[in-house]
Amino acid sequence: MQHEINIRVRYQETDGQGRVHHANYLTWFELGRVELLRAMGHSYRELEEAGIYLVVAQASLQYYLPALFDDVLRLRTSTVSAKGARIEHRYEVFRGDELLAEGTTTVACIDKSGRVTRLPPWLRTP
């Protein structure tokens, strides 16, 4: 599964050099996951109401070019795998055709008590 969204860089997302602060990419990755799930016909709220929580267990980022205030970026979020209790996502951030950054996350599925639990069948990849 793959989904894309556009993001316009807000002034408060930039640092003293006028570039997007690195921490914002993780926020954007979360936005990408939320919208990917929504494109599948579900929501994080729905998962949490069912007692299913997806927590970030690992994240990595690689930066290539800076994003600047008012840039319109395209975030591509892809599900690499979803098996057992984990989902691996890949992210690519573009300005036009330029790849600015890419990264990955692994989210773990837990229940209300914080114990690891299997993903619901509809969320797993074959």
Side-chain angles (χ1 to χ4, degrees):
M1 183 74 183
Q2 188 176 74
H3 186 65
E4 292 187 0
I5 59 171
N6 289 327
I7 298 168
R8 182 176 297 274
V9 176
R10 298 173 297 178
Y11 187 78
Q12 71 265 25
E13 293 171 319
T14 61
D15 60 19
Q17 291 82 41
R19 298 173 178 199
V20 169
H21 187 271
H22 62 275
N24 289 295
Y25 289 85
L26 291 174
T27 299
W28 294 343
F29 290 0
E30 182 175 356
L31 181 60
R33 290 191 303 275
V34 167
E35 294 304 322
L36 174 63
L37 188 60
R38 191 182 321 278
M40 294 171 61
H42 299 279
S43 71
Y44 265 91
R45 177 178 287 180
E46 175 185 315
L47 281 177
E48 291 178 353
E49 287 172 352
I52 299 167
Y53 300 87
L54 300 176
V55 296
V56 175
Q58 187 244 341
S60 68
L61 292 105
Q62 178 70 47
Y63 306 97
Y64 302 112
L65 295 167
L68 309 170
F69 168 64
D70 214 33
D71 280 351
V72 176
L73 308 177
R74 180 171 38 95
L75 171 64
R76 178 183 299 150
T77 305
S78 307
T79 301
V80 175
S81 70
K83 298 178 181 176
R86 294 181 176 261
I87 305 173
E88 295 178 32
H89 291 104
R90 179 167 191 252
Y91 311 89
E92 297 165 292
V93 180
F94 296 91
R95 179 180 46 229
D97 292 330
E98 292 180 299
L99 178 63
L100 304 184
E102 60 185 338
T104 62
T105 59
T106 300
V107 294
C109 185
I110 62 172
D111 63 17
K112 284 184 181 183
S113 68
R115 291 187 7 221
V116 174
T117 187
R118 293 181 62 79
L119 294 166
W122 62 267
L123 198 49
R124 296 181 207 149
T125 56

